[in-house]
Every structure is written in structure tokens, then in C-alpha cells.
């Protein structure tokens, strides 16, 4: 069966925008930190006709990388991008091809961590009233948005067209007053996203506070109205922000809020 | 210098945001007015070169309603002509006689125009021009310029904008401005399939310096179009009647087949026009294209009065001269404060940029500071001047510009 653009883009988002949040989760969430403190595993994800990624746990840190890991302890194979996506929506299982002795880790330990990530990525109104939860959910939402934008600009026809023709420069997305922040670098067609501040951004998007950022990033408010009212301030080279906003608008096509 | 506040504008916007998408949509959206806190979102009234917002703040207007205001708000001759026609009738079951008068006026005045067709917005005429070109040639491809704006129809926006699908723009080929070799390449790669070349008289994108045609550019484009049977369309919607009353192609010395007008032809009354050469009149007649209000007589009467007045006073000359004085003065004031203000485009519709900051943030701050002192400037789009701008406006603008530069210097460069 031919892989659809939707399946392929979603597979990239699942690995490099959603799963990537584990890097911060094990640092910022005490429960996740405790859980993973002594993990020493590298999980390889190989998708036929799709992306390849690895997830490494070592010394209490987590790294999500592209391509093949230098040495994996567990290797999971997926028949297609859709197969991978179905695993992320808990409708399918991966095919383990290495690390059979680690199956208990995969079956019991690892899901507890992904459940924790899901808890922070899928807020309820009640949970968002907790300032700690709001801060973490906003951070993960911001990072997911930035990483997803880079993936989509590379792999989705609409987003590629939106960002085509932009020059070089970076866009800073920052929640005031103290962050979190992420930035997206455009370099003659190559687009990458990173957590944290940019050195000399060409364009800036400042969200007034965590509550505004949360509502804005989750598309719960009219973006234009938010800008006009000063809840979200934009400065600098607008073509970058204009193109980026069209890409960000498309995220719910793949990742339901 | 006193600075303005905008409580009533903002309160109106709060109401608007509940019942109107974006609060204010399209080109008048506050989003590119940076920072929005320095701008009025609504205009309550206007006279001459100035408008007043709901808070009672008065602005010397350098956007002129994004172009339509050319003789000044509430111009007596234009408004009187509109008033007379309104008494006779506006939207009737058949066109009013004034439609014929207006077509005769445009074909007399605009160089190379043998017929005129009327609609409401600029985008109506660019789409119609494309349809006429395709009808005349039986071809599909339209060559346009990267960054060129021809309206909001899906084919003009292109894939990558919301609501536009790939197929909408698959026959639009965008090439860089002033790149004749690129045009030649597209023509040779699409033998017998290029219907039209469409461009503005000079390149006036947003967020970027405007560019005049390179010497010989238009002549080469015209020659290739003639040789290959390609319809040459000029989108004169923004420049029209701000460079030359005979059309901007007369200003630059070439002969298009179709010319799109809007903005300045009605001094704010809703009307646009496509004018064309005799050779395309039958093709234009075959394309079915119309709208409920396209025959409204009041805007036609207003347009006739507006065009007659622009011709009588040589409006473009007045605007070019005023723009020249304005820009020279502002560049000097900027220099005095240690800033470099770069001007591009025609003085009657200039694009300005402070080169001291490539991110445009400094320019945005300065435009905001000027606006909250009473000179309405934008940082993303070319400005417009009108024949109603006076020497008093000029002096007041210079004072504001000076004070605004001082303010941004104090705020840190």
C-alpha cells in the first residue's frame, strides 16, 4: 500500500516532535526523573518507507536522535509509517527485532514513562489550573509546535510551499517573562528547530504569559485578535512569522490538541 | 510631543473580535501594525489628507486607505458628482448613462486603451484579465513575478496559503522581477502555452525594498510577448494615476494589451476597471464575468469626476513632487539622528526602511512612534501620498519624524 503524505508526516511528528519531549520530561518532571534515573537503554525505531530514529537513556538523560544509533539494546521494526502511527495511538504493537530479553522493559517500564508524557501533553481545564502543570504543558506544547513546524516544512507539501522562498534567519518563540522559548532557523530552505533562545533572531513572537501562551499554542484563541490586543507581540521580519504561522496552523491536522 | 492613546479603538476591537473573524481581516488587520498599541484600529472620519480615529486623534494619512484616497477624503468635486448621481439612482435594473461616459473618458485618457470594463475591486480585474488572455490565446500558463500581489483569488495567493489547493495555482509560473532571461526560459519551456505575462509597472512587494524596471526591461518583455503571441497585462492597481494619468506604462514607455486599475480611480468609491487594446475586445466580450454591484452608477460618477480632476490638476505630478520633498526631508532628519532611512519606489508611493536594523524592529518602533504622534506610517507596506497633502502637513510630519527618532534613540537603538 502506498504511504500517504499524512501518514509519513505524522510518523515524523510522532518521533521528532512528540517523542522528543521525553528529553525534557526526564529532566523537569521529578516522577519521570526517578523512573529513568538508572535506565541504560537505546531503542531503535526503524520504519519501512519512513523515518528512522533512536531513543537513548543513560545517566538520567534522554536523547532522541535521527537515523541509526551507534549501538542499540532494543530494536523495533515497523512495516510502514502507518504501523508506527498506530502504535502511537495504542492500536498496534511494534515488531521487536533485537533485545528480546528487554521485552519486560518495553512492556512495563517504558509505557509508564510515555503515560507520563501523555499526561502532560493532554491537559484538562482542571489540570491547567495547577501552575506547575501549566508550566510543563506549555513548555511541551511550545517544543512540540516548534519541532513539528520544522518537520512539516521539510515533509509536508503545504508547509514546504508556505516556507519556500524565505531567506535565512531565525524566529524566536518565547513566553514572557522568563520563558520557555524555542526557535526555528531558516537557512535557504533548510529548517531546524531548537529549544531555547536564538542569538540574533530575524523575527520575534512574545507570548504575554504562560496562560496566554497555552491558549495561543493550543489554538484556543483567535491568533490575529491576540496579536492586535498585545497578548502576543510580534516584531521583526514578518514574512518569517507569516509563513511559520501558516505551518503552525496545520499542526492539528496531524496532532489533535 | 503629545502621544496618542487608543482606548475607544481597542474597546471597539474587543467587540469586533467576538463577531468578526480576526476582528479586522485582510489588509486592514492590525497584525502587521507593529506594535499594535501605537495604532488606531478604526477611522471615524476623514477630510483632505487627514483622518480622525474614534478617540479623537487626528492623523496625517500616509496610507490613504491603502491607495484609494488620491484627491483627499471627502473631495468636494467627487462627492458632488456622487451625490448628483445618487439622486438619479445607483443600483438600477440597467446601467446608467454615466457608464458610457466613464468608459469614453478612460479610453481617451489611458494610452493604448480602446475599451473599458468595470468591476469593484482590483482582484476582479486581474482575474478577468487572466480569463481574457486565456480566452484569446487558448493557452494555460500565466507568468507573474515572485512577491507580486494581484489580489486574493486562489490563483494569486498560491499553494501554501490557507484555502488554496495546489491545482489552483499550478498554471501560474512565478519568476524574479527584472529577470528577462527567466521569462525567456519559461516561454521556451512552455511552447505555445504561455497565455500572459502579468506584472506591476515596478516591483512593490511588502516587507522589501521596491524595485524600478531595469533599463530596457519592459521593452524586452513587450517584444517577446508580441513575438510569441503572449498577452501583456499590467497590474496598475496600486501605481495607477500616481505616476501618470495616461497609465504607468506611459510613464515607463511601453505598450501593454490589458491594464488593471482600481484604488486611485474612484477616490474611495468602490470601482475598478480593466482597459484593453482593440485586438482583445471580442475576447473580453466572450468571457462571462459580472457582479451584483458592478453596474452601480454612483461609483462610476465619482470615478469620472476623480479622473477628470486628476487630469486637470496633473495629480501624479503633484504627488510625485510632494513625495520627493517629504522623503528628502525625512532622510535628512534621520541622518541628523544617526540613522539611515532608505527610500525605494516612486515618491508618490514610497517604501521606507531603516537600514540600521535588518530585522525591521527599529523601523517598526519608529513607525509606531510617528503614528502615535499623528503621522500614520506603516513599516510593512509602501506608503501613499495624495494631492491633498499640504506644506503644513509636510512641516508637521517633519516635526513628528524628528521627535520619533529622538524617542527611539532614547529607547535604545
Amino acid at each position: 500500500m502506498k504511504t500517504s503524505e499524512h501518514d509519513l508526516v505524522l510518523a515524523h511528528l510522532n518521533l521528532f516532535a512528540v517523542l522528543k519531549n521525553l528529553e525534557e520530561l526526564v529532566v523537569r518532571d521529578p516522577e519521570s526523573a526517578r523512573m529513568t534515573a538508572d535506565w541504560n537503554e537505546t531503542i531503535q525505531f526503524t520504519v519501512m518507507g519512513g523515518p528512522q530514529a533512536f531513543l537513548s537513556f543513560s545517566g538520567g538523560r534522554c536523547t532522541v536522535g535521527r537515523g541509526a544509533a551507534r549501538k542499540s539494546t532494543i530494536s523495533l521494526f515497523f512495516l510502514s509509517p502507518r504501523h508506527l502511527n498506530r502504535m502511537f495511538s495504542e492500536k498496534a504493537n511494534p515488531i521487536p527485532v533485537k533485545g528480546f530479553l528487554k521485552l519486560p522493559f518495553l512492556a512495563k517500564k517504558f509505557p509508564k514513562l510515555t503515560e507520563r508524557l501523555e499526561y502532560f501533553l493532554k491537559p484538562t481545564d482542571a489540570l491547567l489550573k495547577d501552575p506547575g502543570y501549566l508550566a510543563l504543558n506549555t513548555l511541551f506544547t511550545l517544543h512540540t509546535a516548534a519541532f513539528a513546524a520544522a518537520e512539516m516544512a521539510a515533509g509536508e507539501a503545504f508547509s514546504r510551499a508556505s516556507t519556500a522562498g524565505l531567506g535565512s534567519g531565525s524566529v524566536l518563540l518565547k513566553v514572557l517573562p522568563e520563558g520557555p522559548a524555542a526557535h526555528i532557523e531558516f537557512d535557504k530552505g533548510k529548517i531546524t528547530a531548537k529549544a531555547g533562545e536564538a542569538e540574533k533572531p530575524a523575527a520575534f513572537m512574545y507570548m504575554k504569559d504562560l496562560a496566554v501562551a497555552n491558549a495561543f499554542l493550543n489554538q484556543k484563541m483567535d491568533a490575529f485578535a491576540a496579536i492586535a490586543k498585545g497578548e502576543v507581540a510580534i516584531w521583526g521580519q514578518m514574512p518569517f512569522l507569516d509563513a511559520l504561522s501558516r505551518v503552525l496552523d496545520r499542526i492539528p491536522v496531524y496532532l489533535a490538541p | 510631543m503629545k502621544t496618542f492613546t487608543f482606548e475607544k479603538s481597542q474597546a471597539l476591537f474587543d467587540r469586533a473580535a467576538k463577531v468578526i473573524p480576526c476582528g479586522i481581516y485582510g489588509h486592514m488587520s492590525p497584525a502587521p501594525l507593529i506594535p499594535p498599541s501605537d495604532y488606531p484600529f478604526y477611522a471615524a472620519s476623514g477630510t483632505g489628507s487627514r483622518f480622525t480615529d474614534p478617540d479623537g486623534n487626528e492623523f496625517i494619512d500616509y496610507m490613504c486607505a491603502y491607495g484609494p484616497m488620491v484627491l483627499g477624503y471627502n473631495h468636494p468635486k467627487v462627492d458632488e458628482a456622487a451625490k448628483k448621481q445618487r439622486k438619479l439612482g445607483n443600483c438600477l435594473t440597467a446601467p446608467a448613462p454615466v457608464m458610457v461616459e466613464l468608459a469614453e473618458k478612460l479610453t481617451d485618457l489611458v494610452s493604448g486603451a480602446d475599451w473599458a470594463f468595470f468591476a469593484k475591486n482590483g482582484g476582479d480585474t486581474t482575474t478577468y484579465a487572466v480569463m481574457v488572455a486565456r480566452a484569446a490565446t487558448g493557452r494555460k500558463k500565466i507568468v507573474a513575478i515572485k512577491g507580486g500581489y494581484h489580489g486574493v483569488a486562489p490563483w494569486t495567493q498560491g499553494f501554501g496559503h490557507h484555502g488554496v489547493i495546489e491545482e489552483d495555482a499550478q498554471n501560474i509560473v512565478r519568476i524574479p522581477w527584472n529577470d528577462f532571461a527567466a521569462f525567456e526560459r519559461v516561454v521556451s519551456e512552455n511552447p505555445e502555452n504561455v497565455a500572459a505575462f502579468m506584472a506591476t509597472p515596478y516591483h512593490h512587494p511588502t516587507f522589501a525594498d521596491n524595485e524600478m524596471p531595469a533599463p530596457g526591461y519592459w521593452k524586452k518583455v513587450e517584444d517577446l510577448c508580441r513575438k510569441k503571441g503572449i498577452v501583456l497585462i499590467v497590474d496598475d492597481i496600486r501605481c495607477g494615476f500616481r505616476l501618470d494619468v495616461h497609465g504607468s506604462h506611459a510613464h515607463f514607455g511601453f505598450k501593454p494589451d490589458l491594464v488593471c486599475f482600481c484604488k486611485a480611480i474612484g477616490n474611495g468609491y468602490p470601482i475598478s476597471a480593466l482597459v484593453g487594446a482593440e485586438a482583445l475586445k471580442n475576447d473580453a466580450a466572450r468571457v462571462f464575468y459580472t457582479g451584483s454591484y458592478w453596474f452601480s452608477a454612483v461609483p462610476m460618477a465619482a470615478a469620472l469626476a476623480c479622473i477628470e480632476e486628476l487630469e486637470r490638476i496633473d495629480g501624479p505630478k503633484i504627488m510625485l513632487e510632494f513625495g520627493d520633498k517629504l522623503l528628502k526631508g525625512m532622510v535628512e532628519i534621520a541622518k541628523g539622528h544617526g540613522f539611515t532611512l532608505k527610500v525605494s519606489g516612486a515618491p508618490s508611493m514610497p517604501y521606507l526602511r531603516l537600514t540600521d536594523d535588518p530585522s525591521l524592529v527599529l523601523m517598526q518602533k519608529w513607525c509606531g512612534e510617528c503614528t502615535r504622534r499623528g503621522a500614520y506610517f506603516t513599516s510593512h507596506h509602501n506608503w501613499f501620498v495624495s494631492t491633498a497633502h499640504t506644506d503644513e502637513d509636510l512641516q508637521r510630519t517633519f516635526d513628528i519624524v524628528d521627535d520619533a527618532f529622538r524617542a527611539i534613540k532614547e529607547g535604545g537603538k
Side-chain angles (χ1 to χ4, degrees):
Chain A
M1 192 171 65
K2 200 176 166 226
T3 298
S4 70
E5 182 188 76
H6 187 279
D7 282 335
L8 192 56
V9 171
L10 180 55
H12 277 86
L13 298 194
N14 276 328
L15 291 172
F16 303 119
V18 177
L19 204 62
K20 191 156 175 70
N21 284 309
L22 290 177
E23 291 180 352
E24 290 284 342
L25 182 75
V26 302
V27 175
R28 294 179 185 261
D29 172 40
E31 193 177 324
S32 300
R34 269 196 305 279
M35 210 186 291
T36 57
D38 60 352
W39 287 9
N40 193 14
E41 305 287 356
T42 296
I43 308 171
Q44 178 74 55
F45 295 80
T46 302
V47 183
M48 190 189 277
Q52 194 177 30
F54 62 88
L55 182 58
S56 268
F57 296 95
S58 175
R61 310 287 295 189
C62 171
T63 310
V64 176
R66 277 175 203 277
R70 210 155 48 87
K71 194 178 175 189
S72 63
T73 54
I74 301 164
S75 186
L76 305 177
F77 182 74
F78 300 86
L79 294 166
S80 65
R82 175 170 289 187
H83 182 193
L84 175 90
N85 297 334
R86 284 172 60 78
M87 183 199 73
F88 272 86
S89 54
E90 298 173 22
K91 288 176 185 158
N93 291 313
I95 303 168
V97 292
K98 183 183 176 185
F100 293 98
L101 296 176
K102 308 279 185 180
L103 287 178
F105 170 82
L106 275 182
K108 290 181 180 169
K109 285 185 171 179
F110 187 61
K112 284 201 167 63
L113 181 67
T114 55
E115 277 165 25
R116 197 69 190 148
L117 180 62
E118 196 176 351
Y119 166 77
F120 282 110
L121 286 178
K122 293 194 172 167
T124 62
D125 289 343
L127 282 170
L128 287 171
K129 285 179 183 152
D130 170 7
Y133 182 92
L134 175 70
L136 270 187
N137 174 255
T138 306
L139 172 104
F140 292 135
T141 307
L142 176 69
H143 285 182
T144 303
F147 294 131
E151 295 301 319
M152 289 165 68
E156 194 211 32
F158 179 94
S159 300
R160 234 183 358 254
S162 293
T163 53
L166 290 173
S168 296
S170 59
V171 179
L172 172 66
L173 311 174
K174 184 175 179 180
V175 184
L176 296 176
E178 300 293 337
H183 64 278
I184 294 158
E185 290 175 2
F186 297 83
D187 185 13
K188 293 169 196 154
K190 195 178 163 214
I191 297 159
T192 47
K194 290 176 185 162
E197 306 243 3
E199 205 164 302
K200 276 190 179 173
F204 308 76
M205 181 185 284
Y206 295 121
M207 290 155 271
K208 194 173 82 175
D209 54 34
L210 284 168
V212 164
N214 200 280
F216 182 76
L217 292 167
N218 283 304
Q219 303 191 10
K220 290 179 183 166
M221 57 166 59
D222 181 331
F224 288 96
I227 290 166
K229 291 177 182 180
E231 290 171 321
V232 175
I234 53 174
W235 290 93
Q237 290 280 357
M238 288 302 112
F240 286 108
L241 285 164
D242 183 36
L244 179 62
S245 71
R246 278 182 263 136
V247 177
L248 293 175
D249 289 343
R250 299 262 308 162
I251 292 176
V253 171
Y254 299 94
L255 302 175
Chain B
M1 190 176 279
K2 180 180 174 279
T3 53
F4 299 159
T5 56
F6 306 103
E7 291 82 3
K8 286 184 182 167
S9 255
Q10 281 153 3
L12 264 175
F13 188 84
D14 286 344
R15 284 169 54 197
K18 290 176 188 154
V19 290
I20 299 170
C22 302
I24 302 170
Y25 44 81
H27 64 293
M28 292 207 179
S29 162
L33 303 175
I34 301 170
S37 55
D38 285 352
Y39 285 85
F41 297 161
Y42 295 91
S45 62
T47 307
S49 61
R50 301 186 181 209
F51 77 90
T52 302
D53 73 3
D55 290 278
N57 305 310
E58 188 186 66
F59 301 86
I60 304 167
D61 190 354
Y62 289 101
M63 288 310 289
C64 297
Y66 285 78
M69 189 277 268
V70 67
L71 291 170
Y73 292 114
N74 295 344
H75 188 271
K77 285 189 181 169
V78 177
D79 285 2
E80 184 56 29
K83 189 176 157 191
K84 272 189 189 161
Q85 183 60 49
R86 193 175 296 111
K87 274 188 182 167
L88 295 170
N90 180 31
C91 191
L92 304 165
T93 292
V98 68
M99 182 177 183
V100 183
E101 286 180 66
L102 180 58
E104 286 170 348
K105 182 71 213 170
L106 274 174
T107 52
D108 280 348
L109 190 61
V110 176
S111 168
D114 297 310
W115 52 267
F117 176 102
F118 302 107
K120 285 289 125 189
N121 287 294
D124 299 333
T125 65
T126 54
T127 294
Y128 182 50
V130 163
M131 291 172 79
V132 171
R134 284 176 170 157
T137 60
R139 301 172 184 176
K140 289 182 178 175
K141 302 284 179 193
I142 305 296
V143 181
I145 305 299
K146 282 182 184 167
Y149 180 84
H150 302 296
V152 291
W155 72 266
T156 66
Q157 295 201 42
F159 185 53
H161 289 82
H162 292 309
V164 180
I165 57 172
E166 270 176 298
E167 290 83 350
D168 285 329
Q170 71 182 10
N171 285 306
I172 310 299
V173 184
R174 296 270 182 174
I175 60 171
W177 169 251
N178 265 341
D179 188 346
F180 177 68
F183 182 37
E184 278 184 310
R185 227 172 8 255
V186 174
V187 172
S188 77
E189 284 167 2
N190 296 275
E192 301 293 315
N193 203 20
V194 176
F197 176 90
M198 178 186 279
T200 52
Y202 71 85
H203 192 42
H204 43 65
T206 50
F207 300 107
D209 294 345
N210 291 186
E211 293 176 65
M212 288 295 165
Y217 175 70
W218 273 120
K219 181 77 179 92
K220 283 190 277 187
V221 169
E222 184 187 339
D223 287 349
L224 186 59
C225 286
R226 298 281 169 265
K227 192 174 158 194
K228 298 288 184 181
I230 297 165
V231 176
L232 177 52
I233 305 169
V234 169
D235 176 342
D236 212 4
I237 290 161
R238 220 184 284 181
C239 297
F241 293 89
R242 278 191 160 86
L243 298 179
D244 194 313
V245 289
H246 304 294
S248 302
H249 55 285
H251 182 80
F252 289 116
F254 68 101
K255 196 176 168 190
D257 300 301
L258 298 171
V259 184
C260 308
F261 289 112
C262 185
K263 297 191 185 288
I265 65 169
N267 201 47
Y269 286 85
I271 187 163
S272 60
L274 180 72
V275 303
E278 183 64 34
L280 291 172
K281 190 154 160 269
N282 279 339
D283 300 295
R286 288 184 191 119
V287 175
F288 183 72
Y289 201 58
T290 189
S292 297
Y293 300 100
W294 290 11
F295 296 90
S296 297
V298 168
M300 290 180 180
L304 184 60
C306 176
I307 291 166
E308 283 173 348
E309 185 64 1
L310 282 168
E311 184 186 15
R312 187 186 72 78
I313 62 175
D314 195 353
K317 184 168 180 277
I318 294 171
M319 289 183 273
L320 287 164
E321 285 176 359
F322 178 87
D324 197 48
K325 280 191 283 183
L326 172 77
L327 299 165
K328 279 182 179 153
M330 286 175 38
V331 167
E332 279 306 306
I333 295 167
K335 205 170 153 189
H337 286 280
F339 294 109
T340 305
L341 190 59
K342 184 177 180 190
V343 177
S344 57
S348 50
M349 36 179 284
Y351 177 79
L352 291 91
R353 180 169 66 87
L354 285 164
T355 61
D356 311 81
D357 172 19
S359 78
L360 294 184
V361 170
L362 191 67
M363 182 68 184
Q364 288 157 350
K365 286 182 178 171
W366 175 68
C367 286
E369 291 294 343
C370 289
T371 299
R372 64 203 282 260
R373 285 164 172 78
Y376 192 96
F377 292 169
T378 63
S379 55
H380 67 294
H381 195 286
N382 70 268
W383 302 353
F384 295 91
V385 298
S386 74
T387 63
H389 284 84
T390 63
D391 284 345
E392 190 194 332
D393 291 332
L394 196 67
Q395 193 49 57
R396 174 74 187 147
T397 303
F398 289 157
D399 293 344
I400 288 170
V401 163
D402 186 50
D403 201 52
F405 273 125
R406 200 171 297 119
I408 60 167
K409 263 169 85 176
E410 283 165 8
K413 203 168 170 179

